[in-house]
């Protein structure tokens, strides 16, 4: 049922429009255009076009993904909350998609030392262009006033700095000395930053003042953190155990370590060290984290983060239909998984 100015049916139409806009962008890139610079950029344009086509092929192959839907609808809903018109937020939805196309590839790179191959090195450069430079060129070409354009560029730059900070924390933090607060600090950068950028940029585009923009930035960051927590849980319940194989200090792992007595904590840390190379160690440690009692206490630790996201929306207000859908973005992220109640999306 289509409810209000931006209900389910309207969202599906808007997502289709953004996908069509991305397809047109890929066509222009393949011709060396759409970057706001001189023609004759067929090499980099073609590389970016191929990169984006591959990204969307992967997304489609994986089937429906609420996380991808939230990437597109978040800026539309924020713009709608401010003005009653979600549609003009589409440029920010495109920027947000470009960010995640880039981040998906960069996050998937192996963390082992060593020089990359020529093909990998070229794709890394292309990913950086797609997520950083192409959004900047698109912002420069938007038909908006100078102050708005500068504000959008500032949000993009802020997101990159915060995201790199979060990524560095993820790469260097060890489970033995991590805290829940330090893990969340990394999540605020790694996943919270682009969501914060999308929400704040949509508010800027809608003409919001600095106070309201800051509120939307905080909401986007909170939603991004919940998205990362959902990804943590999905990695466990699907049996992928990618975070365990990478040795990442995730929220569920650090929460488990804080709940265990010293001897069991040492045992868990030994399992975590072995998990990088042992499938059986990964499965055993995952079972510890998914234990009903541990999952329930983890849910209690996550609950204030959910309440904060809803509370920010209640404080900000705006168009009732769009605000209602923004609440649903939070609820759709945390989902109905037993114990932790985070979405397998």
């Amino acid at each position: 049922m289509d409810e209000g100015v931006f209900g389910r049916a309207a969202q599906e139409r808007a997502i289709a429009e953004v996908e069509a806009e991305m397809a047109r962008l890929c066509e222009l890139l393949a011709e060396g255009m759409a970057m706001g610079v001189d023609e004759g950029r067929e090499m980099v344009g073609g590389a970016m076009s191929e990169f984006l086509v591959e990204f969307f092929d992967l997304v489609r192959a994986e089937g429906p993904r609420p996380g991808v839907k939230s990437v597109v609808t978040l800026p539309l809903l924020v713009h709608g909350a401010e003005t009653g018109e979600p549609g003009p937020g589409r440029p920010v939805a495109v920027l947000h998609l470009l960010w995640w196309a880039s981040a998906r590839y960069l996050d998937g790179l192996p963390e082992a030392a060593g020089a990359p191959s020529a093909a990998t090195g070229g794709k890394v450069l292309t990913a950086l262009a797609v997520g950083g430079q192409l959004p900047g060129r698109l912002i420069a070409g938007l038909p908006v006033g100078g102050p708005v354009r500068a504000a959008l560029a500032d949000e993009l730059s802020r997101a990159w700095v915060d995201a790199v900070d979060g990524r560095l924390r993820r790469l260097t933090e060890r489970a033995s000395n991590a805290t829940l607060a330090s893990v969340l600090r990394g999540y605020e950068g790694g996943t919270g930053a682009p969501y914060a950028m999308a929400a704040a940029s949509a508010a800027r585009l809608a003409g919001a003042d600095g106070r309201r923009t800051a509120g939307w930035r905080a909401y986007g960051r909170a939603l991004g953190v919940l998205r990362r927590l959902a990804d943590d849980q999905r990695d466990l319940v699907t049996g992928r155990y990618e975070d365990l194989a990478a040795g990442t200090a995730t929220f569920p792992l650090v929460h488990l370590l804080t709940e265990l007595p010293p001897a069991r904590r040492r045992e868990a840390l030994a399992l975590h060290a072995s998990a990088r190379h042992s499938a059986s160690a990964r499965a055993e440690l995952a079972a510890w984290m998914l234990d009903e009692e541990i999952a329930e206490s983890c849910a209690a630790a996550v609950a204030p983060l959910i309440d904060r996201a809803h509370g920010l929306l209640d404080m900000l207000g705006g168009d009732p239909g769009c605000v209602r859908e923004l609440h649903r973005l939070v609820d759709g992220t945390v989902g109905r998984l037993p114990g932790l109640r985070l979405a397998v999306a």
Side-chain angles (χ1 to χ4, degrees):
M1 181 173 65
D2 195 351
E3 304 171 4
V5 67
F6 204 55
R8 302 294 175 81
Q11 288 182 37
E12 293 302 323
R13 290 194 298 270
I15 291 171
E17 290 170 357
V18 171
E19 290 176 344
E21 192 165 339
M22 291 295 295
R24 289 193 295 271
L25 176 61
C26 286
E27 291 175 0
L28 290 171
L29 287 169
E31 299 170 2
M33 300 166 63
M35 287 173 284
V37 295
D38 294 338
E39 295 184 15
R41 300 298 190 271
E42 292 85 358
M43 179 68 75
V44 65
M48 287 192 285
S49 178
E50 290 177 9
F51 184 94
L52 290 169
V53 168
E54 181 178 334
F55 166 73
F56 286 110
D57 284 345
L58 287 172
V59 168
R60 281 189 289 269
E62 291 170 349
R65 301 272 295 199
V68 173
K69 180 180 178 182
S70 71
V71 167
V72 175
T73 57
L74 170 62
L76 302 179
L77 287 167
V78 171
H79 195 283
E82 285 293 310
T83 66
E85 294 290 337
R90 278 196 300 272
V92 180
V94 170
L95 300 180
H96 202 198
L97 270 175
L98 292 173
W99 173 285
W100 282 110
S102 173
R104 181 188 177 105
Y105 177 77
L106 294 174
D107 281 348
L109 290 173
E111 295 172 3
S117 67
T120 300
K123 203 161 184 181
V124 168
L125 291 174
T126 302
L128 292 172
V130 164
Q133 299 308 309
L134 181 56
R137 300 313 308 169
L138 294 178
I139 288 171
L142 287 176
V144 296
V148 173
R149 190 177 296 111
L152 295 178
D154 178 69
E155 295 295 342
L156 180 65
S157 175
R158 181 200 302 266
W160 267 103
V161 172
D162 288 348
V164 170
D165 179 84
R167 178 64 172 172
L168 290 174
R169 290 174 186 276
R170 177 180 173 184
L171 290 173
T172 58
E173 190 163 47
R174 297 292 173 260
S176 57
N177 55 22
T179 65
L180 293 179
S182 69
V183 171
L184 289 175
R185 177 71 180 272
Y187 285 10
E188 288 176 355
T191 309
Y195 277 82
M197 179 268 293
S201 295
R204 293 285 195 186
L205 198 60
D209 62 23
R211 181 186 64 82
R212 289 190 62 79
T213 298
W216 286 118
R217 189 184 299 115
Y219 167 76
R221 185 178 296 110
L223 182 64
V225 169
L226 293 174
R227 182 74 253 161
R228 176 54 207 261
L229 289 166
D231 288 344
D232 287 348
Q233 189 71 357
R234 184 183 71 234
D235 189 49
L236 292 173
V237 300
T238 59
R240 293 180 181 176
Y241 309 147
E242 292 174 354
D243 289 326
L244 290 173
T248 305
T250 64
F251 189 92
L253 173 66
V254 175
H255 175 266
L256 170 70
L257 294 173
T258 64
E259 295 289 296
L260 296 176
R264 289 283 281 173
R265 185 177 189 273
R266 288 192 293 271
E267 186 180 348
L269 284 170
L271 275 174
H272 189 244
S274 299
R276 300 199 71 159
H277 310 289
S278 168
S280 61
R282 291 193 288 271
E284 184 175 353
L285 189 53
W288 286 28
M289 286 185 273
L290 293 172
D291 172 80
E292 184 176 355
E293 184 176 345
I294 292 295
E296 287 179 355
S297 62
C298 196
V302 170
L305 306 178
I306 301 170
D307 292 342
R308 171 170 167 74
H310 284 303
L312 285 165
L313 285 174
D314 291 337
M315 177 191 71
L316 285 162
D319 176 85
C322 290
V323 171
R324 180 174 60 247
E325 293 298 329
L326 286 162
H327 278 294
R328 285 177 176 169
L329 272 186
V330 176
D331 293 336
T333 297
V334 298
R336 294 183 177 277
L337 243 167
L340 196 54
R341 297 185 177 88
L342 293 179
V344 181

